[in-house]
Amino acid sequence: QSVLTQPPSASGTPGQRVTISCSGSSSNIGSSAVNWYQQLPGTAPRLLIYSNNQRPSGVPGRFSGSKSGTSASLAISGLQSEDEADYYCAAWDDSLTGPVFGGGTKLTVL
Amino acid sequence: EVQLVESGGGLVKPGGSLRLSCAASGFTFSSYSMNWVRQAPGKGLEWVSSISSSSSYIYYADSVKGRFTISRDNTKNSLYLQMNSLRAEDTAMYYCARDSGRWEGDFDYWGQGTLVTVSS
């Protein structure tokens, strides 16, 4: 049972826009920045979005993040086959004194 | 180029111990907080432990508190995780991850992981 709640799966066709939601509480998303990670099959996670909506260098502009209250979302526009991966949201949790992760969303490109 | 290389994983019996290492290169190791994050087979990510740049601040997830000890040696650019009283539920890929320095719990570089299997 993850502290942050994500849908277990999402899907879209090439070129489509998909969004992945992440729900938390006042002790994590409500009071901290949200970060997103992408994990391609068989590889380590990669930081995709930090500080709610910032992209590290090298991350395509097709990826964007937003946050409102105790929820956040990741949007991927112009979906490509190489975007097929697991996506995790994360945020610092004040009551746990550490970061918490969502359970992950498996994105399938149809 | 930032590189994090974990080692030390393997098969261990319940109740046993294991020490993981993470060798860092390509950045000033002593300036960054470091973390261990694990992922059980087919499951999601779970933060395990964090250590500040000078080892002044150390935090653990409740699931490992009292059993695991994080440490670092800035002279050797290395991070460690001593794991004692291992349980079947500790079976996972263990990743070493660098804190970005933004104090927002985001990890900007990850190692490739080392697999720990706890089984009799």
Side-chain angles (χ1 to χ4, degrees):
Chain A
Q1 192 86 354
S2 300
V3 176
L4 305 182
T5 301
Q6 298 179 236
S9 64
S11 63
T13 56
Q16 256 191 336
R17 182 178 186 270
V18 296
T19 61
I20 297 171
S21 62
C22 176
S23 177
S25 67
S26 58
S27 66
N28 41 67
I29 293 180
S31 56
S32 304
V34 177
N35 309 300
W36 291 89
Y37 298 89
Q38 177 193 58
Q39 187 174 32
L40 298 171
T43 70
R46 163 202 185 195
L47 182 63
L48 196 66
I49 297 287
Y50 67 92
S51 299
N52 304 322
N53 54 18
Q54 301 299 302
R55 283 177 286 106
S57 61
V59 174
R62 305 185 291 104
F63 294 91
S64 62
S66 64
K67 173 186 140 176
S68 178
T70 58
S71 295
S73 63
L74 173 71
I76 309 171
S77 59
L79 198 62
Q80 298 181 6
S81 58
E82 55 260 41
D83 298 333
E84 193 159 281
D86 293 326
Y87 292 85
Y88 295 90
C89 61
W92 184 266
D93 192 293
D94 291 332
S95 59
L96 299 178
T97 323
V100 289
F101 290 90
T105 298
K106 184 176 184 61
L107 175 63
T108 301
V109 181
L110 302 169
Chain B
E1 177 196 5
V2 172
Q3 280 202 312
L4 298 170
V5 180
E6 302 93 335
S7 60
L11 175 64
V12 61
K13 289 182 168 53
S17 298
L18 214 54
R19 189 195 196 207
L20 306 183
S21 299
C22 172
S25 61
F27 66 102
T28 304
F29 181 72
S30 59
S31 296
Y32 289 85
S33 293
M34 297 296 295
N35 306 268
W36 288 100
V37 178
R38 69 184 180 182
Q39 184 172 34
K43 302 296 184 181
L45 302 172
E46 179 189 18
W47 168 77
V48 173
S49 182
S50 297
I51 186 168
S52 63
S53 58
S54 60
S55 305
S56 298
Y57 301 96
I58 289 176
Y59 303 102
Y60 298 99
D62 287 343
S63 57
V64 307
K65 205 172 291 183
R67 301 187 299 122
F68 290 11
T69 302
I70 191 172
S71 62
R72 65 190 294 162
D73 186 336
N74 287 343
T75 66
K76 295 182 179 179
N77 290 343
S78 293
L79 174 72
Y80 306 102
L81 186 68
Q82 177 67 44
M83 305 187 295
N84 298 330
S85 303
L86 283 161
R87 307 166 179 166
E89 53 264 37
D90 295 319
T91 293
M93 183 72 78
Y94 284 74
Y95 295 102
C96 162
R98 188 183 85 166
D99 192 289
S100 70
R102 285 181 279 262
W103 295 103
E104 293 179 343
D106 58 312
F107 306 150
D108 57 357
Y109 287 94
W110 297 63
Q112 85 291 346
T114 186
L115 182 62
V116 172
T117 302
V118 184
S119 175
S120 54

